[in-house]
Amino acid sequence: MNLTNSQANYEKACQVLAGGVSSGIRMWADPILYFSHANGPYFYDVDGQEYIDYTLAWGPLILGSNHPSINAAVSAQIQKSYTLGAQHQLEIDLASKLVSILPGVDQMIFSNTGSEAVQAAIRIARATTGRTKIVKFEGHYHGWLNNILVSFHPPKEQLGTPSPTTQGQPESEYQDTLVLPWNDPEALKNLLETRGHEIACVITEPLLANSGSCVAQEGFLNTLVDSCRSAGVISIFDEVITGFRIALGGAREHFGLIPDLSVYAKAMAGGFTMGAVGGRKEMFDVLREGKAIHAGTYNGSSFNLAAALATVTTLQTESPYESMHQHGYAIRAKLEELAKQKGLPLITTGLGSVFSAHFGLTTAPLNYADTLEVDTDLYKRFRQSLLKRGIHPLPDGRWYISAVHTTKELDHTLDAIEKSFAEL
Ligand SMILES: Cc1ncc(COP(=O)(O)O)c(C=O)c1O
């Protein structure tokens, strides 16, 4: 693998860009690559190497890169306006489309990122209930803000106690955040029964994509939605990853569950910057009545909305889910088969087009604590071997499949996996 230009770029970047990256989590990649362009399911580094993209920019690129329908929509829109800071037709068109697709969603609000949309959902929950505490689960990621970046990837000794993820995160800003282990219905029910009167909302990733793509155990999400309802607590599905990915209607459709609010971003706009919150009409009463505020200069920017409308319309028309999911399951089957042949412990977890590979585990992790036993060094070596062969999954063991990954890419990937296993 040639890293000459990537390394030179990284050195230059480190002089002018703090840490050499634009999002702190990207510092974890080894090697740090610089890219020149992307097309379909491929991206290209500055040393001229081509990769099949299984990162999809950490999820958004559900239609790959350079997709004709997004290009056409955005090109047409920028002739008319970039952003208006005022009302326009696309807001109605996109919200109408989303409301027609997302089960149990009557209304939407738009923001620019998932982090902002999460904050809006929390504010709505607090304003609606008049309560302050929020409940999240260990290992779940809901953006980088102080009140919610709590117990994201804590070390073993901090399990069970709300803990900061970064310096500069004062306790005063997360003292209202309560943390539970995921997939533990009893712990959740107990907390809601004893302290429900203090709790505004419970927020969950419906698939724990940010910590090993752990799958909810049968009945856990139902318990969450039902016990929240009984306790007058707002249930929030953070569908920033699952939305438009595990099904067109996301986790609501896949699990047949209707939480009070859902948060969307990433795949919704195919790589453009958008977040959204959806729910029943009355969930937004506090905004309509002016009791709570949600604002943002770029909310509803026209070119982002054009990209989102094109993305969601293409997903709806082409319904690529079956082939995306099969692509994921084929890779997982290959990984598990080769590991078995080699006598290496490995298990994969996830849902269709998003999954994680766990070296060192033989049973599926159910929550963040279970993922602490993963052999991250072995995965790192395996990933570096894949990179040499033009396959690019995320550094944390996660793989994303897009609608434009075809059997050609799958064949190449399975072959590279086989060769990389032989090299381990
Ligand atoms: C589940 C989940 N929620 C929220 C966020 C934050 O979204 P953004 O990075 O757009 O602010 C992310 C980002 O990875 C996410 O995975």
Side-chain angles (χ1 to χ4, degrees):
M1 206 176 161
N2 180 1
L3 298 175
T4 315
N5 292 328
S6 273
Q7 264 164 8
N9 277 11
Y10 184 49
E11 276 158 33
K12 277 188 235 154
C14 285
Q15 288 169 22
V16 288
L17 192 62
V21 294
S22 290
S23 173
I25 289 172
R26 295 181 202 155
M27 270 199 253
W28 299 347
D30 181 11
I32 291 185
L33 297 174
Y34 273 75
F35 293 94
S36 56
H37 64 289
N39 191 27
Y42 293 93
F43 58 179
Y44 300 85
D45 74 15
V46 288
D47 289 289
Q49 290 152 147
E50 176 185 86
Y51 303 89
I52 300 177
D53 182 6
Y54 286 108
T55 72
L56 303 184
W58 297 76
L61 301 175
I62 195 156
L63 297 179
S65 295
N66 199 20
H67 192 278
S69 71
I70 301 182
N71 288 5
V74 173
S75 307
Q77 184 54 45
I78 56 176
Q79 310 292 322
K80 298 187 197 158
S81 70
Y82 306 145
T83 189
L84 292 160
Q87 293 54 252
H88 56 100
Q89 180 67 35
L90 265 174
E91 294 175 304
I92 305 168
D93 295 347
L94 179 61
S96 305
K97 173 68 84 185
L98 298 176
V99 162
S100 74
I101 285 173
L102 301 169
V105 169
D106 306 324
Q107 290 207 333
M108 310 289 307
I109 55 171
F110 295 143
S111 67
N112 299 289
T113 61
S115 296
E116 287 173 78
V118 163
Q119 294 302 317
I122 292 173
R123 179 170 293 169
I124 290 169
R126 284 175 160 161
T128 303
T129 58
R131 303 170 185 168
T132 308
K133 303 279 182 216
I134 58 182
V135 177
K136 79 169 293 273
F137 298 94
E138 268 165 358
H140 289 231
Y141 182 73
H142 305 290
W144 64 280
L145 289 123
N146 284 345
N147 60 350
I148 203 73
L149 190 62
V150 182
S151 299
F152 167 44
H153 281 169
K156 211 175 202 158
E157 57 281 8
Q158 284 176 10
L159 289 175
T161 334
S163 55
T165 302
T166 165
Q167 290 192 13
Q169 193 182 5
E171 201 175 343
S172 57
E173 298 201 19
Y174 64 87
Q175 66 190 4
D176 290 317
T177 305
L178 309 176
V179 176
L180 288 176
W182 200 53
N183 257 336
D184 184 342
E186 290 314 311
L188 177 62
K189 280 196 274 183
N190 285 344
L191 182 68
L192 291 176
E193 272 161 28
T194 51
R195 299 187 64 183
H197 58 285
E198 299 171 67
I199 297 170
C201 60
V202 175
I203 184 166
T204 186
E205 291 187 55
L207 166 79
L208 181 36
N210 282 296
S211 292
S213 305
C214 305
V215 177
Q217 278 198 300
E218 185 71 34
F220 176 68
L221 293 173
N222 301 55
T223 302
L224 188 151
V225 171
D226 291 347
S227 21
C228 279
R229 202 149 288 155
S230 315
V233 169
I234 307 293
S235 54
I236 305 174
F237 278 7
D238 179 345
E239 295 232 41
V240 166
I241 288 177
T242 52
F244 309 94
R245 172 165 292 287
I246 60 172
L248 184 64
R252 285 175 178 243
E253 178 184 325
H254 180 83
F255 294 108
L257 286 173
I258 310 289
D260 293 313
L261 292 172
S262 288
V263 177
Y264 302 93
K266 296 207 191 239
M268 183 176 73
F272 284 73
T273 43
M274 262 209 79
V277 183
R280 289 188 315 284
K281 186 166 183 240
E282 67 266 26
M283 289 311 306
F284 298 100
D285 284 350
V286 286
L287 299 183
R288 225 178 339 267
E289 292 162 8
K291 293 178 181 159
I293 288 179
H294 167 242
T297 301
Y298 297 106
N299 290 356
S301 281
S302 18
F303 74 98
N304 287 327
L305 265 63
L309 188 57
T311 303
V312 173
T313 305
T314 305
L315 290 171
Q316 187 178 34
T317 318
E318 296 183 0
S319 192
Y321 292 98
E322 185 58 28
S323 75
M324 281 162 65
H325 294 340
Q326 286 315 320
H327 195 113
Y329 287 119
I331 295 175
R332 289 173 62 176
K334 187 72 166 180
L335 288 167
E336 291 185 0
E337 174 201 318
L338 291 172
K340 201 164 167 193
Q341 278 172 21
K342 224 177 151 76
L344 281 174
L346 179 145
I347 197 148
T348 63
T349 45
L351 286 175
S353 67
V354 49
F355 70 89
S356 296
H358 311 280
F359 278 104
L361 297 190
T362 47
T363 51
L366 290 180
N367 56 31
Y368 167 71
D370 292 347
T371 66
L372 287 169
E373 304 308 321
V374 169
D375 187 342
T376 48
D377 286 341
L378 189 55
Y379 184 76
K380 184 170 156 184
R381 277 203 285 131
F382 179 62
R383 179 175 173 272
Q384 286 172 342
S385 190
L386 287 173
L387 283 174
K388 278 196 306 194
R389 299 183 165 84
I391 308 298
H392 199 311
L394 283 171
D396 69 356
R398 211 173 346 165
W399 295 56
Y400 281 110
I401 323 294
S402 79
V404 296
H405 283 86
T406 67
T407 48
K408 178 177 153 223
E409 285 76 43
L410 180 61
D411 291 346
H412 180 151
T413 306
L414 298 181
D415 181 57
I417 288 176
E418 200 151 336
K419 293 187 172 122
S420 299
F421 255 96
E423 216 175 67
L424 275 183

